[in-house]
Amino acid sequence: GSTIPPELWEKEPPMKKPPLPSQLYGLKPSPEKVLHLPPIDVDALIAEDRAAGKERPLRAGIHREINVSPLTHGEWFDIGKGSIWLFEIDAPTASGIDVHFTDVYLPEGAKIYVYSPSAPEKYRGPYRGGPELWVGPISGDKIIIEVAIPVPYDHSKPPFKIEGVGHLYRPSKQKSTLENIAPLAATCHNDATCYPDWAIEGDAVGRIYYRKGSLPYLCTGTIINDLSGDHTPYFLTANHCIPDDFSSISLFQVYWFYETNGCLGTAPDMFSLPYSEDAIYLAGKTKDEFSDFTLLELLGKVPLTLSWAEWTTKEPSVGDSAIGIHHPSDIDDYRRISFGNKITTHGCIFII
């Protein structure tokens, strides 16, 4: 692990966020105004994922069009010279929900917040810009969207539209109990927390949540240092996850420290963890061209306690040991570690 310069530190969050505007006025969405989406067949979707195999990245959910605007849904509350709009979405079977806003043209001073009704203090926002905005994911099967406009506003003109939501069916919280290990990961994927000697290297590994086209996906990657040691936040991931110039990626987040709280312990809610948001594409090759890699540069802040992985171009010899730390690609899983050896002179082929 490398020392991170102060200018790249993620500032410690305040102990408590400021209250939401709706909390200041004691406002809540009316039950009769809630948009109830029909449940989805999670078992059928997981069966589709298994049939697709590893030729595509792990699908995290589906996109659901809702076509909502403050003119047609939710409820406006007048507060002095301004207004607050509240709108709740209920999506049974969802483990998390993200939101796609379009035509976002907010009046000056207006702010958007998105949060779970069970944990409003963990809201995302405030957001002020547009014309397109992706927010989330928020854990759970319910979200509230709140808009606070501090000036007189013509309610005949919608400040935005909500084109759709991402309905996540992959769980964002998992346990590493003995009865769950077998279905969650292959036996070679060990709980990384059980191997503290590799904790520093493991803290360079992140869990990616991203939107490609209309679908949300999960993948894994590693933040790496460069030869100059200037801590440019280069992030190495797989080309089968991010295969192009990033133009088709509408939302990109890297969640850090997604690991159990102790050997064979409990994994946290991934979406409650520190994360970096957005990146730019630098280079990539398919496994047929060279190696299955994509190199990105992260644009968001990185956590203070993150490790930065070192690397080498030296070719390992047959019999050399290899250790892999990642979030397995066939499941939504916390950090795992695998051990093996190189078994052939033809490329980097290892047995784990």
Side-chain angles (χ1 to χ4, degrees):
S2 304
T3 302
I4 300 176
E7 62 269 20
L8 287 177
W9 289 356
E10 180 184 74
K11 302 303 181 183
E12 292 296 325
M15 294 299 293
K16 188 176 181 180
K17 287 185 175 182
L20 291 159
S22 60
Q23 292 175 321
L24 297 175
Y25 294 92
L27 303 176
K28 292 185 178 181
S30 301
E32 62 272 14
K33 300 287 187 178
V34 175
L35 175 63
H36 297 281
L37 300 178
I40 63 174
D41 189 340
V42 174
D43 290 341
L45 292 168
I46 291 178
E48 289 179 10
D49 295 339
R50 288 174 178 166
K54 296 185 179 181
E55 295 303 314
R56 72 177 188 193
L58 179 64
R59 184 172 62 175
I62 62 171
H63 183 76
R64 307 186 71 172
E65 293 185 5
I66 58 174
N67 296 318
V68 164
S69 91
L71 297 187
T72 59
H73 292 76
E75 187 172 7
W76 285 101
F77 299 88
D78 293 327
I79 49 157
K81 294 183 179 180
S83 303
I84 291 177
W85 181 74
L86 295 177
F87 175 55
E88 182 173 347
I89 300 174
D90 174 34
T93 69
S95 62
I97 303 171
D98 67 24
V99 188
H100 182 204
F101 296 85
T102 60
D103 301 322
V104 182
Y105 299 101
L106 297 174
E108 184 176 355
K111 301 174 183 178
I112 298 175
Y113 305 83
V114 182
Y115 52 91
S116 165
S118 63
E121 72 281 0
K122 297 180 180 179
Y123 62 79
R124 296 210 181 201
Y127 301 96
R128 299 176 174 87
E132 186 176 34
L133 175 66
W134 291 86
V135 178
I138 303 294
S139 291
D141 59 1
K142 297 179 178 64
I143 61 166
I144 294 175
I145 300 164
E146 176 172 334
V147 180
I149 300 178
V151 296
Y153 180 67
D154 181 1
H155 296 309
S156 66
K157 298 179 180 179
F160 57 82
K161 297 176 183 177
I162 302 175
E163 179 272 336
V165 296
H167 182 130
L168 278 61
Y169 57 84
R170 294 287 177 182
S172 57
K173 186 175 183 180
Q174 295 183 331
K175 293 184 178 180
S176 175
T177 56
L178 292 177
E179 64 269 19
N180 285 338
I181 288 176
L184 287 179
T187 54
C188 63
H189 295 307
N190 307 286
D191 183 349
T193 314
C194 298
Y195 299 85
D197 289 347
W198 295 97
I200 292 177
E201 290 82 359
D203 282 346
V205 176
R207 184 57 152 164
I208 307 171
Y209 176 86
Y210 66 104
R211 279 276 200 144
K212 180 177 173 60
S214 63
L215 293 176
Y217 293 98
L218 294 166
C219 198
T220 189
T222 304
I223 193 168
I224 59 174
N225 212 342
D226 59 14
L227 291 176
S228 67
D230 63 4
H231 293 90
T232 300
Y234 294 122
F235 189 77
L236 188 65
T237 185
N239 188 261
H240 69 263
C241 290
I242 310 292
D244 53 26
D245 63 359
F246 223 69
S247 61
S248 62
I249 307 299
S250 53
L251 175 66
F252 182 87
Q253 298 172 330
V254 180
Y255 288 85
W256 306 104
F257 315 120
Y258 185 30
E259 61 182 349
T260 56
N261 59 2
C263 183
L264 301 183
T266 301
D269 169 12
M270 188 180 83
F271 299 128
S272 70
L273 298 174
Y275 67 94
S276 303
E277 190 160 22
D278 208 359
I280 54 174
Y281 177 94
L282 299 178
K285 294 288 186 180
T286 67
K287 63 180 181 181
D288 295 327
E289 294 176 301
F290 174 71
S291 179
D292 181 16
F293 86 93
T294 291
L295 182 65
L296 307 172
E297 182 178 339
L298 300 178
L299 299 180
K301 295 288 186 179
V302 297
L304 171 62
T305 55
L306 203 65
S307 301
W308 294 49
E310 297 177 349
W311 53 273
T312 179
T313 58
K314 182 181 178 182
E315 179 78 13
S317 302
V318 172
D320 282 355
S321 63
I323 295 92
I325 305 174
H326 71 144
H327 300 280
S329 61
D330 54 346
I331 50 175
D332 168 27
D333 214 355
Y334 50 84
R335 189 188 301 166
R336 299 290 183 135
I337 186 168
S338 302
F339 302 90
N341 299 89
K342 185 174 180 182
I343 61 172
T344 177
T345 57
H346 301 291
C348 293
I349 301 176
F350 296 83
I351 184 167
I352 301 293

